[in-house]
Amino acid sequence: GAVVSQHPSRVICKSGTSVKIECRSLDFQATTMFWYRQFPKKSLMLMATSNEGSKATYEQGVEKDKFLINHASLTLSTLTVTSAHPEDSSFYICSGLAGGYNEQFFGPGTRLTVL
Amino acid sequence: EDKVVQSPLSLVVHEGDTVTLNCSYEVTNFRSLLWYKQEKKAPTFLFMLTSSGIEKKSGRLSSILDKKELFSILNITATQTGDSAVYLCAVNSNSGYALNFGKGTSLLVTP
């Protein structure tokens, strides 16, 4: 099956700093990547949809200036949490959609803790 | 607004029991319903259902979709402690490929 990696798997940062999370599709080209956020004991909530070479589409309530998404190639999307605060602490998961398939392949997730 | 509701929210069973997890949905322009298993990390794919009445099976797990009544069930027979996880149901519509997840059912299988 298709493999998606995320880096880092875990990050702890101070309040006010920015954190970049990478999402890579290792053995397929992901025309579309999705970013989800999961708070403890909650389900995954879609944050944004990212299409290669174009601006991301953000879900209602997700600040695009705070969560910067870049999808510069068919195998890499990045999410930058700018000026992170403790309430941004969460599990961030990306997924890639292989062209022509209606199936998303999830990355292993990144656990962000903001002190 | 699209909605995915899973029940029960949590369940404790003994090894060897059979469990049925439910997922009902309301979505405009339904395309598919997916089941995932989530342990400590990201969800792992179990099934994707697009047609009514066709059972999908993988070992002790099976799932079926009813597009008329707008629900799906996930069955696990002869449960094992390794089946303990959160089971997520997600729905995809024709408006895009993003998934709308339910809150999940937390299953605990005790020895």
Side-chain angles (χ1 to χ4, degrees), chain A residues 9-114:
Chain A
S9 58
R10 183 183 289 269
V11 58
I12 301 172
C13 69
K14 289 183 180 177
S15 191
T17 59
S18 293
V19 174
K20 181 189 275 191
I21 302 170
E22 290 187 350
C23 176
R24 290 182 188 273
S25 56
L26 298 185
D27 52 2
F28 69 102
Q29 293 187 324
T31 51
T32 302
M33 285 185 167
F34 301 94
W35 287 95
Y36 295 86
R37 180 167 52 180
Q38 187 176 34
F39 291 107
K41 298 196 190 297
K42 301 284 185 185
S43 194
L44 280 77
M45 297 295 294
L46 178 68
M47 296 176 68
T49 302
S50 163
N51 290 302
E52 185 262 339
S54 61
K55 286 185 180 178
T57 303
Y58 290 81
E59 294 299 300
Q60 199 170 10
V62 178
E63 299 172 57
K64 62 179 183 191
D65 294 329
K66 181 167 180 64
F67 298 99
L68 301 178
I69 292 171
N70 184 282
H71 192 163
S73 79
L74 286 171
T75 59
L76 173 65
S77 176
T78 60
L79 167 69
T80 302
V81 183
T82 61
S83 186
H85 287 100
E87 58 265 28
D88 298 323
S89 299
S90 188
F91 192 49
Y92 292 86
I93 306 174
C94 73
S95 68
L97 187 72
Y101 293 93
N102 183 20
E103 183 179 345
Q104 292 181 35
F105 301 97
F106 284 88
T110 296
R111 187 161 302 282
L112 170 65
T113 303
V114 184

